[in-house]
Amino acid sequence: VTEWFEQWFGEEYLKLYPHRDEEDAARVVALMARHTGLTDRRVLDLACGPGRHLEQLRLVGAHAVGFDLSMPLLSRARHRGSATLPVVRGDMRYLPFGAGSFDVVVNLFTSFGYFADDAQHMAVVREVAAVLRSGGVFVLDYFNAHYVLTALVAREERAIGSQHVVIERRISEDRRFVVKEMHLMDDGRRFVERVRLFTPAELEHLIDGAGLRIRHRFGDYEGRSADNGSPRVLLFSERP
Ligand SMILES: C[S@@+](CC[C@H](N)C(=O)[O-])C[C@H]1O[C@@H](n2cnc3c(N)ncnc32)[C@H](O)[C@@H]1O
Protein backbone atom coordinates (compact mmCIF):
# COMPACT_ATOMS: atom_id res chain seq x y z
CA VAL A 1 0.00 0.00 0.00
CA THR A 2 1.31 3.44 -0.86
CA GLU A 3 1.36 5.70 2.19
CA TRP A 4 -0.11 9.23 2.00
CA PHE A 5 3.29 10.85 2.53
CA GLU A 6 4.73 9.07 -0.52
CA GLN A 7 2.05 10.60 -2.73
CA TRP A 8 1.55 14.09 -1.42
CA PHE A 9 5.03 15.63 -1.17
CA GLY A 10 5.67 16.61 -4.77
CA GLU A 11 4.90 19.54 -7.06
CA GLU A 12 1.39 20.01 -5.64
CA TYR A 13 2.74 20.32 -2.11
CA LEU A 14 5.01 23.15 -3.29
CA LYS A 15 2.08 24.90 -4.93
CA LEU A 16 -0.17 24.63 -1.87
CA TYR A 17 2.42 25.83 0.66
CA PRO A 18 3.81 28.92 -1.06
CA HIS A 19 3.89 30.92 2.20
CA ARG A 20 6.53 28.59 3.60
CA ASP A 21 9.39 30.60 2.28
CA GLU A 22 13.03 31.54 2.74
CA GLU A 23 12.28 34.12 5.40
CA ASP A 24 10.58 31.55 7.58
CA ALA A 25 13.57 29.22 7.04
CA ALA A 26 16.06 31.98 7.88
CA ARG A 27 14.26 32.66 11.21
CA VAL A 28 14.45 29.09 12.46
CA VAL A 29 18.05 28.71 11.25
CA ALA A 30 18.97 31.91 13.17
CA LEU A 31 17.34 30.50 16.31
CA MET A 32 19.37 27.28 15.96
CA ALA A 33 22.56 29.22 15.26
CA ARG A 34 22.08 31.15 18.53
CA HIS A 35 21.44 28.08 20.66
CA THR A 36 23.60 25.29 19.18
CA GLY A 37 26.10 26.98 16.89
CA LEU A 38 26.06 25.93 13.23
CA THR A 39 29.24 27.30 11.67
CA ASP A 40 31.51 24.47 10.47
CA ARG A 41 29.12 21.89 11.96
CA ARG A 42 28.06 18.76 10.11
CA VAL A 43 24.28 19.13 9.92
CA LEU A 44 21.68 16.66 8.68
CA ASP A 45 18.41 18.24 7.53
CA LEU A 46 16.10 15.26 8.02
CA ALA A 47 13.13 15.53 5.65
CA CYS A 48 14.62 18.61 3.94
CA GLY A 49 11.90 18.83 1.28
CA PRO A 50 12.72 21.51 -1.31
CA GLY A 51 15.80 22.59 0.66
CA ARG A 52 14.88 26.03 1.94
CA HIS A 53 16.68 25.39 5.27
CA LEU A 54 19.65 23.74 3.52
CA GLU A 55 20.34 26.96 1.68
CA GLN A 56 20.14 29.03 4.90
CA LEU A 57 22.32 26.52 6.74
CA ARG A 58 24.94 26.84 4.03
CA LEU A 59 24.79 30.64 4.32
CA VAL A 60 25.65 30.49 8.05
CA GLY A 61 28.63 28.22 7.32
CA ALA A 62 27.22 24.79 8.19
CA HIS A 63 28.15 21.68 6.20
CA ALA A 64 24.59 20.57 5.63
CA VAL A 65 23.27 17.42 3.97
CA GLY A 66 19.64 17.08 2.97
CA PHE A 67 17.72 13.83 3.34
CA ASP A 68 14.20 13.15 2.07
CA LEU A 69 11.97 10.52 0.48
CA SER A 70 10.58 12.68 -2.32
CA MET A 71 12.53 12.74 -5.61
CA PRO A 72 10.83 15.88 -6.97
CA LEU A 73 11.50 17.81 -3.75
CA LEU A 74 15.10 16.56 -3.53
CA SER A 75 15.85 17.71 -7.05
CA ARG A 76 14.63 21.19 -6.04
CA ALA A 77 16.83 21.07 -2.96
CA ARG A 78 19.87 20.00 -4.94
CA HIS A 79 19.71 22.88 -7.37
CA ARG A 80 18.70 25.58 -4.98
CA GLY A 81 20.53 28.92 -5.05
CA SER A 82 23.96 29.12 -6.64
CA ALA A 83 25.61 26.00 -5.20
CA THR A 84 24.80 22.33 -5.76
CA LEU A 85 23.77 21.03 -2.34
CA PRO A 86 24.42 17.46 -1.17
CA VAL A 87 21.22 15.45 -0.80
CA VAL A 88 20.46 11.80 -0.09
CA ARG A 89 17.23 9.96 -0.79
CA GLY A 90 15.77 7.57 1.74
CA ASP A 91 13.28 6.86 4.48
CA MET A 92 13.79 8.51 7.88
CA ARG A 93 13.13 5.20 9.62
CA TYR A 94 16.37 3.81 8.17
CA LEU A 95 19.19 6.35 8.03
CA PRO A 96 22.09 5.33 5.77
CA PHE A 97 24.77 7.21 7.76
CA GLY A 98 27.44 5.93 10.09
CA ALA A 99 27.27 6.23 13.88
CA GLY A 100 28.22 9.70 15.11
CA SER A 101 28.35 11.24 11.60
CA PHE A 102 26.64 14.52 12.55
CA ASP A 103 27.02 17.36 15.06
CA VAL A 104 23.43 18.48 14.55
CA VAL A 105 20.29 16.80 13.16
CA VAL A 106 17.27 19.00 12.43
CA ASN A 107 13.70 18.01 11.59
CA LEU A 108 11.77 21.16 10.72
CA PHE A 109 8.22 22.26 9.99
CA THR A 110 6.34 19.15 11.17
CA SER A 111 8.29 16.61 9.14
CA PHE A 112 7.55 13.92 11.71
CA GLY A 113 4.48 12.06 13.04
CA TYR A 114 3.45 10.57 9.68
CA PHE A 115 3.26 6.86 10.57
CA ALA A 116 0.27 4.84 11.79
CA ASP A 117 2.28 3.06 14.45
CA ASP A 118 4.18 4.92 17.19
CA ALA A 119 6.94 2.31 17.22
CA GLN A 120 7.98 3.81 13.87
CA HIS A 121 8.16 7.31 15.33
CA MET A 122 10.33 5.92 18.09
CA ALA A 123 12.49 4.23 15.44
CA VAL A 124 13.09 7.60 13.75
CA VAL A 125 14.30 9.23 16.97
CA ARG A 126 16.55 6.24 17.68
CA GLU A 127 18.05 6.56 14.18
CA VAL A 128 18.67 10.26 14.85
CA ALA A 129 20.39 9.48 18.16
CA ALA A 130 22.59 6.88 16.43
CA VAL A 131 23.90 9.25 13.74
CA LEU A 132 24.64 12.04 16.26
CA ARG A 133 28.04 12.24 17.89
CA SER A 134 28.22 12.43 21.66
CA GLY A 135 27.35 16.05 22.57
CA GLY A 136 25.50 16.43 19.25
CA VAL A 137 22.13 18.19 19.12
CA PHE A 138 18.73 17.19 17.71
CA VAL A 139 16.25 19.98 16.91
CA LEU A 140 12.62 18.95 16.44
CA ASP A 141 10.18 21.62 15.23
CA TYR A 142 6.58 20.39 15.48
CA PHE A 143 3.11 21.88 15.80
CA ASN A 144 1.75 22.27 19.31
CA ALA A 145 -1.14 19.77 19.63
CA HIS A 146 -2.82 21.90 22.33
CA TYR A 147 -2.87 24.86 19.97
CA VAL A 148 -4.01 22.77 16.97
CA LEU A 149 -6.98 21.43 18.96
CA THR A 150 -8.23 24.93 19.85
CA ALA A 151 -7.41 26.62 16.54
CA LEU A 152 -8.60 23.93 14.08
CA VAL A 153 -10.48 25.44 11.13
CA ALA A 154 -12.84 22.68 9.89
CA ARG A 155 -13.43 24.06 6.40
CA GLU A 156 -11.80 26.72 4.34
CA GLU A 157 -12.01 27.67 0.68
CA ARG A 158 -9.14 29.55 -0.90
CA ALA A 159 -7.41 30.50 -4.07
CA ILE A 160 -3.79 29.37 -3.87
CA GLY A 161 -1.84 30.51 -6.91
CA SER A 162 -3.98 29.49 -9.84
CA GLN A 163 -5.79 26.75 -7.89
CA HIS A 164 -9.18 26.92 -6.21
CA VAL A 165 -8.82 24.71 -3.13
CA VAL A 166 -11.18 23.45 -0.45
CA ILE A 167 -9.37 22.45 2.73
CA GLU A 168 -11.05 20.29 5.38
CA ARG A 169 -9.50 19.47 8.73
CA ARG A 170 -10.63 17.04 11.38
CA ILE A 171 -9.42 15.03 14.32
CA SER A 172 -9.47 11.27 13.62
CA GLU A 173 -12.02 9.15 15.49
CA ASP A 174 -9.37 7.66 17.72
CA ARG A 175 -8.14 11.25 18.38
CA ARG A 176 -4.56 10.30 17.50
CA PHE A 177 -4.25 12.28 14.25
CA VAL A 178 -5.11 15.58 12.69
CA VAL A 179 -6.28 14.89 9.15
CA LYS A 180 -6.22 17.57 6.47
CA GLU A 181 -7.87 16.97 3.11
CA MET A 182 -7.20 19.26 0.19
CA HIS A 183 -9.57 19.21 -2.76
CA LEU A 184 -8.34 20.85 -5.96
CA MET A 185 -11.61 22.04 -7.41
CA ASP A 186 -10.31 22.67 -10.95
CA ASP A 187 -9.32 19.09 -11.70
CA GLY A 188 -11.03 17.13 -8.91
CA ARG A 189 -7.84 15.79 -7.39
CA ARG A 190 -7.65 15.38 -3.64
CA PHE A 191 -4.72 15.00 -1.28
CA VAL A 192 -4.58 14.05 2.35
CA GLU A 193 -2.17 14.80 5.15
CA ARG A 194 -2.39 12.77 8.36
CA VAL A 195 -0.16 13.85 11.20
CA ARG A 196 0.05 12.47 14.72
CA LEU A 197 -1.33 14.78 17.43
CA PHE A 198 1.69 14.45 19.70
CA THR A 199 1.57 16.78 22.68
CA PRO A 200 4.84 18.46 23.65
CA ALA A 201 5.05 16.06 26.62
CA GLU A 202 4.68 13.04 24.31
CA LEU A 203 7.41 14.37 22.01
CA GLU A 204 9.70 14.80 25.00
CA HIS A 205 8.90 11.25 26.04
CA LEU A 206 9.96 9.92 22.60
CA ILE A 207 13.17 11.94 22.69
CA ASP A 208 13.92 10.83 26.20
CA GLY A 209 13.23 7.20 25.21
CA ALA A 210 15.98 7.41 22.58
CA GLY A 211 18.47 8.49 25.25
CA LEU A 212 18.63 12.18 24.30
CA ARG A 213 18.39 14.95 26.94
CA ILE A 214 16.16 17.98 26.47
CA ARG A 215 18.18 21.22 26.68
CA HIS A 216 15.83 23.96 25.39
CA ARG A 217 12.12 24.37 24.64
CA PHE A 218 10.72 27.21 22.51
CA GLY A 219 7.21 28.10 21.38
CA ASP A 220 8.04 29.83 18.10
CA TYR A 221 10.89 30.70 15.71
CA GLU A 222 11.65 33.89 17.65
CA GLY A 223 12.57 31.80 20.68
CA ARG A 224 9.66 32.72 22.94
CA SER A 225 8.97 30.20 25.67
CA ALA A 226 6.48 27.41 25.00
CA ASP A 227 3.02 27.22 26.59
CA ASN A 228 -0.34 25.77 25.53
CA GLY A 229 -1.05 28.82 23.35
CA SER A 230 2.21 28.60 21.36
CA PRO A 231 1.65 27.61 17.74
CA ARG A 232 4.73 25.40 17.64
CA VAL A 233 7.09 23.53 19.88
CA LEU A 234 10.83 23.46 19.24
CA LEU A 235 12.74 20.93 21.31
CA PHE A 236 16.53 21.00 21.41
CA SER A 237 18.01 17.82 22.85
CA GLU A 238 21.54 16.52 23.24
CA ARG A 239 23.13 13.12 22.94
CA PRO A 240 25.06 12.47 26.17
C1 LIG B 1 6.07 19.23 5.61
S1 LIG B 1 7.36 18.78 4.52
C2 LIG B 1 8.64 19.82 5.11
C3 LIG B 1 9.88 19.89 4.28
C4 LIG B 1 10.99 20.81 4.79
N1 LIG B 1 11.47 20.40 6.12
C5 LIG B 1 10.52 22.24 4.82
O1 LIG B 1 10.29 22.78 5.91
O2 LIG B 1 10.38 22.85 3.75
C6 LIG B 1 7.75 17.14 5.05
C7 LIG B 1 8.82 16.41 4.28
O3 LIG B 1 8.97 15.09 4.83
C8 LIG B 1 9.30 14.21 3.77
N2 LIG B 1 9.00 12.83 4.19
C9 LIG B 1 7.79 12.30 4.40
N3 LIG B 1 7.89 11.02 4.80
C10 LIG B 1 9.22 10.74 4.85
C11 LIG B 1 9.97 9.57 5.20
N4 LIG B 1 9.35 8.45 5.60
N5 LIG B 1 11.32 9.64 5.14
C12 LIG B 1 11.94 10.78 4.74
N6 LIG B 1 11.28 11.91 4.39
C13 LIG B 1 9.94 11.90 4.44
C14 LIG B 1 8.45 14.71 2.63
O4 LIG B 1 8.87 14.22 1.39
C15 LIG B 1 8.55 16.22 2.80
O5 LIG B 1 9.60 16.74 2.05
Side-chain angles (χ1 to χ4, degrees):
V1 195
T2 313
E3 300 260 22
W4 70 266
F5 52 82
E6 294 173 61
Q7 301 188 334
W8 161 235
F9 293 111
E11 296 298 329
E12 296 308 332
Y13 164 78
L14 290 177
K15 282 189 200 144
L16 294 185
Y17 282 79
H19 58 292
R20 292 304 173 173
D21 56 15
E22 303 290 336
E23 212 180 298
D24 191 59
R27 289 200 344 257
V28 69
V29 168
L31 179 74
M32 298 191 296
R34 284 200 295 282
H35 293 279
T36 70
L38 292 172
T39 308
D40 286 331
R41 304 289 167 87
R42 298 163 300 166
V43 180
L44 175 64
D45 184 355
L46 187 60
C48 64
R52 62 203 176 103
H53 301 100
L54 276 182
E55 174 70 5
Q56 297 298 326
L57 286 163
R58 193 181 66 81
L59 290 173
V60 299
H63 305 291
V65 176
F67 182 85
D68 204 282
L69 192 59
S70 162
M71 277 305 272
L73 296 188
L74 280 176
S75 71
R76 291 285 183 115
R78 190 167 164 70
H79 302 294
R80 189 146 197 135
S82 45
T84 302
L85 303 173
V87 297
V88 177
R89 180 169 188 239
D91 188 309
M92 61 173 102
R93 290 168 286 188
Y94 317 97
L95 295 184
F97 305 104
S101 309
F102 295 97
D103 302 305
V104 180
V105 177
V106 304
N107 178 274
L108 304 171
F109 187 47
T110 322
S111 300
F112 186 76
Y114 297 166
F115 309 114
D117 173 3
D118 283 343
Q120 317 238 292
H121 296 125
M122 190 69 238
V124 174
V125 190
R126 284 195 203 286
E127 287 287 274
V128 168
V131 302
L132 275 176
R133 68 159 163 89
S134 170
V137 175
F138 174 41
V139 179
L140 177 62
D141 161 34
Y142 206 71
F143 60 53
N144 177 2
H146 300 299
Y147 175 86
V148 168
L149 286 170
T150 55
L152 195 82
V153 178
R155 190 174 192 284
E156 173 185 4
E157 216 168 316
R158 279 202 275 153
I160 304 178
S162 58
Q163 307 260 17
H164 176 199
V165 188
V166 173
I167 304 172
E168 290 177 318
R169 300 182 184 84
R170 62 187 164 81
I171 304 302
S172 64
E173 262 168 43
D174 62 9
R175 306 205 51 86
R176 293 174 67 239
F177 296 95
V178 55
V179 183
K180 178 171 169 184
E181 278 185 37
M182 289 147 287
H183 307 256
L184 277 49
M185 302 314 277
D186 301 338
D187 59 16
R189 280 182 301 161
R190 71 168 46 200
F191 294 99
V192 69
E193 245 179 48
R194 189 205 60 200
V195 182
R196 190 76 169 81
L197 263 177
F198 283 127
T199 63
E202 288 170 328
L203 292 173
E204 290 199 20
H205 186 74
L206 281 174
I207 290 168
D208 193 63
L212 302 174
R213 300 209 178 115
I214 303 282
R215 291 287 184 233
H216 308 286
R217 305 172 174 87
F218 301 108
D220 62 23
Y221 293 169
E222 263 61 59
R224 293 189 188 88
S225 59
D227 60 36
N228 283 358
S230 319
R232 308 203 62 78
V233 54
L234 285 102
L235 297 172
F236 287 53
S237 56
E238 189 180 305
R239 180 176 173 168

